[in-house]
Amino acid sequence: MTGPVQDAKGCFPQAFRAELDLLMKLRRDVRRFRTDPVDEAVLTRCLSAVSLAPSVGLSEPWRIIRVDSDAARAAALKNFEAANAEALADYSEDRAATYARLKLSGMREAPVQIAFFCDDETEKGHGLGARTMPEMRRYSVVTAITLFWLSLRAEGLGLGWVSVLDPDQMARDLNVPQSWSLIGYFCIGHPERLSDTPELEQEGWEQRFAALPIETR
């Protein structure tokens, strides 16, 4: 095993922990991409992080579609634009004006686009941990996405999660099995700039909690 040496208690060095903290702070939801191509070896390396993620019952329910064709990308963009117009219509006055200013997708610029699905009916894992909470399979996919996201950031790449979409239409357009549920559509590429502040906060859409809210029972 290579990498930072852990102590007897399994604790990593302080310098490593500081860098991990910085990585998490700079893990932004990117909307503004350069059009430079992404090195395939780097992308493959980042995608390999998915296999390191925990999954309920070791079910590994993630299903990944690389969206490369012009037709598939055009359908995805059309989906976003329709959903975005509907969302804008739900707001009024100042909030509508702010929403209209937001850039909520990098689909026109990002060189790599990937859709993550969850196989809700996978037999792998034999249902362990998912009988009473089947949504655990979808949570497992989210943990895999998080590792992928951090790996991309460590390689100087950015990821943008496009959630303003009709998931059922996306599943039809990408021709996936009915048992697959869309978890996220992702734009990937080199970000125009780096920041430790969410763009939605910069644009005045919302503010983060000043402190983590925790309740006790």
Side-chain angles (χ1 to χ4, degrees):
M1 181 179 294
T2 61
V5 178
Q6 304 173 54
D7 64 19
K9 295 182 179 179
C11 183
F12 285 88
Q14 193 280 330
F16 176 86
R17 300 197 305 272
E19 290 184 346
L20 176 60
D21 185 62
L22 177 60
L23 175 63
M24 291 187 289
K25 287 179 179 177
L26 292 176
R27 178 229 45 83
R28 297 271 54 85
D29 199 352
V30 178
R31 308 297 187 203
R32 304 174 193 279
F33 295 93
R34 306 200 311 264
T35 56
D36 314 33
V38 172
D39 186 286
E40 283 295 321
V42 173
L43 181 62
T44 298
R45 188 159 60 241
C46 293
L47 281 167
S48 69
V50 169
S51 298
L52 301 177
S55 62
V56 63
L58 201 57
S59 58
E60 298 182 299
W62 38 79
R63 304 292 181 262
I64 302 171
I65 300 291
R66 179 88 175 258
V67 185
D68 278 345
S69 72
D70 290 343
R73 289 196 177 196
L77 180 59
K78 180 180 179 181
N79 187 329
F80 164 75
E81 289 176 338
N84 195 43
E86 291 179 6
L88 175 59
D90 284 340
Y91 296 107
S92 59
E93 300 178 349
D94 290 348
R95 184 59 65 175
T98 301
Y99 185 92
R101 291 199 309 269
L102 299 176
K103 182 173 174 55
L104 298 176
S105 159
M107 297 166 82
R108 292 186 181 277
E109 303 86 16
V112 176
Q113 297 180 34
I114 293 177
F116 272 72
F117 290 83
C118 176
D119 184 351
D120 292 322
E121 297 179 6
T122 181
E123 295 183 0
K124 194 173 188 301
H126 310 286
L128 191 156
R131 295 189 184 280
T132 56
M133 293 184 65
E135 63 270 25
M136 286 299 298
R137 295 191 182 97
R138 300 187 184 189
Y139 299 158
S140 297
V141 179
V142 174
T143 65
I145 291 165
T146 300
L147 294 190
F148 176 49
W149 202 338
L150 290 171
S151 296
L152 288 166
R153 182 76 287 281
E155 296 276 4
L157 295 168
L159 177 148
W161 191 324
V162 184
S163 60
V164 185
L165 291 168
D166 178 338
D168 294 331
Q169 184 62 51
M170 182 66 72
R172 289 191 293 271
D173 289 337
L174 295 181
N175 192 29
V176 302
Q178 290 188 348
S179 65
W180 291 17
S181 299
L182 181 69
I183 302 301
Y185 188 96
F186 302 99
C187 296
I188 297 158
H190 298 277
E192 286 186 351
R193 59 187 176 86
L194 300 178
S195 175
D196 61 358
T197 305
E199 187 168 331
L200 291 181
E201 188 171 350
Q202 296 176 36
E203 294 291 339
W205 182 259
E206 188 56 273
Q207 298 294 313
R208 282 184 161 179
F209 286 120
L212 181 65
I214 300 176
E215 298 185 15
T216 302
R217 295 290 188 271

